[in-house]
Each structure stands twice: as structure tokens, then as C-alpha cells.
Amino acid sequence: MSPQAHLSEDTTVSTAPDRQTVQIVLPEDKYAAELEFLAAHDTGPRPPGWRLTPRAVVTFVLGSGGEKLKHGRRSTVVEPKFVGDRALVERCVVTLAGERGLLLVGEPGTAKSMLSELLAAAVCGTSALTVQGTAGTTEDQLKYGWNYALLLAKGPSREALVPSPVLTAMTTGAVARVEEVTRCLPEVQDALVSLLSERRIAVPELAGSADAQLHAAPGFTLIATANLRDKGVSEMSAALKRRFNFETVGPIGDLAAEIDLVRRQSTAAVARAGAPYAVDDAVLEALVTAFRDLRTGRSVEGWDVERPSTVMSTAEAVSVATALGVTAAYLDGADTLARLPGQLVGVVRKDDPADTARLLGYWDGPVRRRAEQGSTTWRTLWDLRPTLGD
């Protein structure tokens, strides 16, 4: 997907970093021209601190549906970036406009983080005010720390205070992001309760000064993400849950839309690896179909499938398609279909080696039946069954 919005009248603008110097470009840089265009195109009312109107944020995330938007002599088609339910995205935008915390939950690989990045970039112009939740995340990473050289030289002062990404978002009226919030220890999660309810952070070291209480500026809000598979790592308290609106991000419902997404993202990944993309559409369709069958426990034809314990996510499908593309480019040519069974084994064995038996059951069921119905692609896959082992 192009980092630029292609505008008529030779007005294409891009502030994205040179792709030769970074692997991943932040959405606010990658889509800078689209964001600039949408800010000018929709001049309706905006919540305090917002760069775009809520309607324009939805358009930025989901695209303009192929429609060419116009502003003066400029025009552009806004490309879709997140494949999902429009009502879900609209609810997320409404939550943020109301300055309430937003918690995106779902299985791993359902693009929760990508959605949070896109929302933050559209609302406040940056997705970088982020804390990655882990068992080692500390309360300081959600509040503030100190520059100890200045602290020793001058004592406690606002100058010596090192704000966390969350505190920076608070004081500038921006969107903070906390990834994998349920992986944080309970005492760290509890620090979010006061942040989201009182909208201020106390700095006892600066007591008696104007900086003893740092208040949230209008527009501040917080987006957190949590994987349903990690629910038991550190269960959120009832008090913290009440500070969030929960939205569940599910798998892509439409087969064609998922194939298109896997194609686009794997093509971009292979391009970053410096190679042309040579994965046949039939291979991509078989790959995504297998992932969907194993994910749901039911084939597209309605046949029962034993689900592996591993999450067969769209993100994993992109990873496999990328591996096939790199293999075709750098190793043994374009016979990517022959490599697909081995890649699937690598995916399903991540959580439980016994899942290999479930993959074999899938081969002996839907794969064999499709082969018998005359599909050339599935016939080839059935012939490759010995490569799966026993």
C-alpha cells in the first residue's frame, strides 16, 4: 500500500521516512498525505484536541469505499487500512470522542494493535505514545521517572521529571496506548484507575509547587489492548474494567477480504525483503481457506474440522504467505504450493506438538474430499500429505 495519498493537480505530499532506513513506518508518517487531505476535506465539528472530525477518522481507518473525495482542486481515494465491521470502528471513535478509555480485546492476530495505531494517528497525529505491557512493566512507565543527573544537581523539579508516554499524552491532550494491559502486574494496572478517573497525576516530590498535580488536557484518552488467550495472566480489577469501554475485534468474516489483506500485507513484506512477489493466487486462496477452516472448526463446505490449540490468525497467515514469497524469490523458485504443508506444520505446532495430528485429520478430511471433487490445487496438497509425517 502506498505511503502517499495520490492527489490530483500534482499535490502528492509525503513525510514518511525513507523506506531504506526503517522497517516499519508509523501510520502518521505512512499516511501523512491522507491525514492532511482529510483534515482539510471535512471541516465539521471536532472534539477538543482532535486533528480530524470523528467522521473523517472512520474514513481514514476504513477507506472511502473507492469514492474519490474532493477538496478544492484536490481529490483522493482513501485506501482501507483495517478490515472489519464499520459499526465497531464507529463505536471506538465515539468512545474516544467522549474521552473514555477504550479496551480492544480479541484473539491474537486480529489487528487490535494496528487499529489502535490508526485511531491514535488520526485523532491526535501520533501513535508513538505507547507503553508495552509485560510482567516487567513498572508504575513509573505509566507515570514518570527522573533524570537523576539533574535530580542530584538541582533537586526535584519539573525539568528533572521524565514523563512517561501516558503522562505526555495527558499533558498534551493526545491519545496514549497501552499494549497487552493484562500482562501487567495488578499493582501496575491499578495505576491506570486513578489516571482514567481523576485525570491527573500527583507528583509528591514537587509538593508545594504548581507541578505537584499534573492535569490532563482536553482530548486526552487511552486505548489499551488485551488478548483473550492471555486473560489469566493478570486479570483486570472490576474498578479498572469500569473505566473502559470494551470492544471485541474478531477475525475477518469474508474470505475474499481476508485473501486480499493477506496478499497486500505479504506483498509489502516481501518487497521490504528486496524481492518481487511470486505467490500464486490459488496458493493464497488455499492458504487462507485452510487457516479459516482450522480457526473455526468448520470448512467452507460445512464439514467438521478439529481445531488446533494454536490461534490460526490472519497475522499468522500473512507470516506464512511472506515466507512463501521469500522462498520463491531467494531459494527454490516459484513452487510455493509444495512448501505450504511444511509452513502449516510450523504454525500448528507452536503451542502443542499434538496439534500435528489435528492437521493430519484436516488433510484426511477436507483436503482429501476437495481433491476427490476435482480441485487441482487441493489434489496437489493431498499428494503432499507424506511431507506432514505421521
Side-chain angles (χ1 to χ4, degrees):
M1 187 176 296
S2 172
Q4 301 179 350
H6 297 285
L7 311 178
S8 62
E9 299 296 325
D10 298 323
T11 56
T12 298
V13 179
S14 175
T15 60
D18 186 345
R19 287 180 179 271
Q20 299 299 317
T21 63
V22 296
Q23 287 187 324
I24 302 296
V25 181
L26 294 174
E28 55 267 29
D29 296 324
K30 185 175 183 179
Y31 305 110
E34 281 192 358
L35 291 168
E36 183 271 334
F37 177 86
L38 286 170
H41 172 263
D42 191 339
T43 59
R46 309 177 189 191
W50 281 41
R51 300 287 186 90
L52 303 180
T53 68
R55 179 173 51 195
V57 173
V58 175
T59 301
F60 173 71
V61 173
L62 296 176
S64 58
E67 178 187 357
K68 181 176 287 189
L69 304 181
K70 296 182 179 181
H71 176 70
R73 299 177 65 188
R74 300 190 300 171
S75 64
T76 189
V77 175
V78 180
E79 299 183 39
K81 301 159 192 70
F82 172 78
V83 179
D85 182 35
R86 184 179 187 87
L88 164 69
V89 176
E90 289 178 345
R91 289 195 303 270
C92 291
V93 172
V94 168
T95 294
L96 298 177
E99 296 186 338
R100 183 165 173 80
L102 172 64
L103 181 63
L104 301 174
V105 301
E107 295 285 348
T110 51
K112 300 181 296 297
S113 295
M114 183 180 75
L115 177 56
S116 73
E117 286 182 339
L118 292 170
L119 289 169
V123 169
C124 67
T126 179
S127 61
L129 299 174
T130 306
V131 175
Q132 179 62 53
T134 69
T137 301
T138 65
E139 189 174 337
D140 289 354
Q141 290 172 270
L142 294 178
K143 292 186 174 180
Y144 60 88
W146 295 98
N147 180 323
Y148 287 102
L150 286 175
L151 190 65
L152 292 173
K154 300 182 180 180
S157 66
R158 181 65 184 270
E159 182 184 9
L161 185 144
V162 179
S164 70
V166 177
L167 179 54
T168 299
M170 287 184 65
T171 55
T172 59
V175 178
R177 300 171 51 237
V178 179
E179 291 288 325
E180 307 288 1
V181 66
T182 54
R183 298 196 65 84
C184 298
L185 296 175
E187 57 267 27
V188 177
Q189 293 184 24
D190 288 344
L192 289 173
V193 176
S194 60
L195 293 179
L196 293 173
S197 57
E198 299 172 5
R199 302 284 165 156
R200 62 180 181 269
I201 290 179
V203 187
E205 297 88 344
L206 301 181
S209 73
D211 296 318
Q213 295 278 344
L214 300 178
H215 294 266
F220 164 69
T221 190
L222 186 143
I223 306 174
T225 65
N227 282 328
L228 293 177
R229 291 291 180 107
D230 290 337
K231 186 177 180 180
V233 174
S234 294
E235 178 67 30
M236 294 173 65
S237 68
L240 183 55
K241 288 179 179 178
R242 288 196 299 270
R243 269 65 181 185
F244 284 104
N245 283 356
F246 282 58
E247 292 294 345
T248 300
V249 183
I252 298 173
D254 182 67
L255 173 62
E258 187 168 5
I259 293 172
D260 181 62
L261 177 66
V262 171
R263 181 188 297 108
R264 286 189 285 111
Q265 294 199 355
S266 59
T267 299
V270 173
R272 289 196 299 271
Y277 194 68
V279 180
D280 187 81
D281 285 349
V283 177
L284 281 179
E285 182 177 355
L287 163 64
V288 175
T289 298
F291 264 75
R292 292 171 68 88
D293 293 346
L294 292 165
R295 180 194 308 152
T296 62
R298 198 167 189 80
S299 75
V300 293
E301 297 88 353
W303 306 324
D304 289 336
V305 175
E306 189 174 4
R307 296 173 59 186
S309 56
T310 299
V311 177
M312 306 297 290
S313 67
T314 303
E316 286 282 7
V318 171
S319 178
V320 170
T322 300
L324 294 175
V326 172
T327 299
Y330 288 123
L331 295 180
D332 60 355
D335 188 11
T336 53
L337 188 60
R339 294 281 184 166
L340 180 55
Q343 291 288 341
L344 289 175
V345 170
V347 172
V348 300
R349 285 176 60 90
K350 285 186 177 182
D351 290 340
D352 184 359
D355 281 338
T356 303
R358 297 183 176 93
L359 184 61
L360 284 169
Y362 178 68
W363 237 258
D364 293 336
V367 174
R368 177 181 59 82
R369 295 174 75 172
R370 289 167 183 156
E372 291 173 347
Q373 290 177 353
S375 169
T376 303
T377 300
W378 292 96
R379 177 75 231 184
T380 302
L381 288 173
W382 170 245
D383 291 340
L384 291 167
R385 186 192 185 286
T387 64
L388 299 173
D390 294 316

